[in-house]
Each structure stands twice: as C-alpha cells, then as structure tokens.
Amino acid sequence: NAGVMQNPRHLVRRRGQEARLRCSPMKGHSHVYWYRQLPEEGLKFMVYLQKENIIDESGMPKERFSAEFPKEGPSILRIQQVVRGDSAAYFCASSRTGGGLTAEAFFGQGTRLTVV
Amino acid sequence: DQQVKQNSPSLSVQEGRISILNCDYTNSMFDYFLWYKKYPAEGPTFLISISSIKDKNEDGRFTVFLNKSAKHLSLHIVPSQPGDSAVYFCAASTSTSYGKLTFGQGTILTVHP
C-alpha cells in the first residue's frame, strides 16, 4: 500500500515561471491537504480539498496560488509567476475522511521548491 | 498569531534517559492533538495523538500528556534512543476537520549515545 506520493521531490524555477506540484493520496483517501514549510519554521496549512471541491483555502495566498483535486488524477498545487519568497518545502497529506477516527492525516515526502 | 507554540527550539538528552518535549496552545476550540517526528528531507511521520476527552495516551516508549486547563501538552520518550534524534512537531486540530492541522515551530531532539 503506497503512501502519499509527491512529485517532483525537488523543483527549481526561475523568477516569473510557473511551478506545478503533484500529490497522489493514499489509496482509499479522498481528502487532501497542502502545507508549506518555510526555512526554520513549522508547517503552515494552505488548503483542504476533496475530489473536485475546495473545502478550506484559508491558508492560501490570495494571488498566484491555486489548487485542484480533479475526479481523476493527482491533486495539483500551482504557483504562477514564482518569486524568491515562494522557496519552501511543500507537503501534501491525505486522510480517509475529514473527521472522526479515520481522519488521521498521512504526509508525503514533500516537494522542495527553489526559486532562483 | 501562533496558536500552537513549542518554546524550546532544541533539546539534548543522554541515551536511556527521558526526553520531555513541551507544547502550549491558545485556541480552546482545539480538541485533538498530535505529535509528528520529522527527519531532514522527509515528510512528518505521525507518532501519537490524544483527544481532549483524555489526559494521557501511551504507545510503547511514547506517552502524551494533556492538561486542558493549562492548554499544555507534553511528549515523553523513555528510554530515549539515538534513533529518536529528529525534529518533533506538536499539532492541533478540531473535530470538524482533523486533517487541518496547526503546527508548532518544532523542537530538535538530539539523543547522545
């Protein structure tokens, strides 16, 4: 049973380019969460999605960032026109449900984005 | 506004002794608390959790204590082993969305042989 799969593991983008980060949840999990970890800080919640729905995007920057979790395929976190401050580790987590005992979130290994 | 705080950036412990990691929170809506362990270049790995209806949960060498009145929780590791050396994150959530976690800043634990 594969865990949460994120790709790429490392991504280098020049300022102004677009970054696309992918996350395939664990089998049987329909809830996906994206977190960002800036250097020397803890993980910060960005967005919570279910299939084809954004449930909570309270942690997403208002501009340049978007996320989706289509009916088929992985969840995508998209950052347009990247800036140096976007350099961080981006972690995806998935859970079977959104509440109750089966809501424990399992994390992927992360994508380390470097903007040069 | 840091709703979950880990005030000790680092902790150094001798192998075989007890490691105590502390965490404070401010949001009284939190009712589910978790500890994650993280190695460099890897994602957080779930260690142990506790619901607000309990004050203690134990799993092998790991025990989490919750003091709701003080809004404080702690993770005890005994005996500590060199392989426990990692960054430990405290996290909190609410029953309406367990996967939406609020993390502390982390504590770097080093266990010396």
Side-chain angles (χ1 to χ4, degrees):
Chain A
N1 184 17
V4 178
M5 304 299 293
Q6 289 188 250
N7 68 81
R9 291 291 307 276
H10 301 275
L11 182 61
V12 179
R13 284 288 178 265
R14 296 187 183 278
R15 279 178 294 171
Q17 291 184 319
E18 178 180 287
R20 284 191 177 222
L21 289 65
R22 294 174 183 77
C23 169
S24 296
M26 287 180 66
K27 186 176 180 181
H29 286 195
S30 59
H31 298 248
V32 166
Y33 312 83
W34 285 93
Y35 290 83
R36 176 167 67 174
Q37 184 182 24
L38 296 170
E40 309 301 324
E41 294 187 14
L43 285 76
K44 303 287 188 193
F45 168 80
M46 298 181 75
V47 63
Y48 164 28
L49 311 103
Q50 292 182 40
K51 287 284 187 180
E52 300 183 281
N53 286 305
I54 296 175
I55 307 302
D56 183 340
E57 57 181 347
S58 57
M60 288 280 269
K62 292 290 185 282
E63 298 177 346
R64 302 186 297 108
F65 284 72
S66 62
E68 62 176 7
F69 188 16
K71 187 177 180 180
E72 301 291 338
S75 175
I76 306 287
L77 179 67
R78 182 183 178 203
I79 312 171
Q80 295 179 289
Q81 299 175 325
V82 296
V83 300
R84 288 244 171 90
D86 297 332
S87 296
Y90 292 82
F91 292 96
C92 170
S94 73
S95 64
R96 188 179 301 278
T97 67
L101 293 176
T102 55
E104 179 187 320
F106 294 84
F107 282 82
Q109 292 187 299
T111 294
R112 274 140 195 89
L113 172 66
T114 302
V115 179
V116 297
Chain B
D1 177 30
Q2 190 73 28
Q3 297 186 62
V4 177
K5 294 182 182 179
Q6 294 175 255
N7 291 317
S8 297
S10 62
L11 175 67
S12 184
V13 171
Q14 202 70 29
E15 181 179 6
R17 306 294 289 267
I18 185 171
S19 296
I20 300 177
L21 297 98
N22 294 301
C23 178
D24 297 293
Y25 61 97
T26 58
N27 188 343
S28 57
M29 297 298 293
F30 290 144
D31 56 8
Y32 191 60
F33 304 91
L34 310 91
W35 285 93
Y36 283 85
K37 176 180 180 179
K38 186 180 180 302
Y39 293 115
E42 293 187 12
T45 302
F46 170 77
L47 267 179
I48 192 169
S49 63
I50 187 166
S51 165
S52 60
I53 62 173
K54 295 185 175 182
D55 55 18
K56 177 183 175 181
N57 188 25
E58 190 172 354
D59 184 2
R61 296 186 297 114
F62 303 91
T63 303
V64 56
F65 295 92
L66 175 62
N67 182 334
K68 287 191 297 270
S69 60
K71 292 191 175 67
H72 176 84
L73 64 155
S74 60
L75 174 68
H76 293 212
I77 306 173
V78 55
S80 301
Q81 299 172 354
D84 295 330
S85 298
V87 181
Y88 287 78
F89 289 99
C90 166
S93 67
T94 67
S95 55
T96 54
S97 185
Y98 280 136
K100 180 182 176 182
L101 301 169
T102 301
F103 282 85
Q105 309 95 308
T107 296
I108 301 170
L109 174 65
T110 304
V111 180
H112 298 284

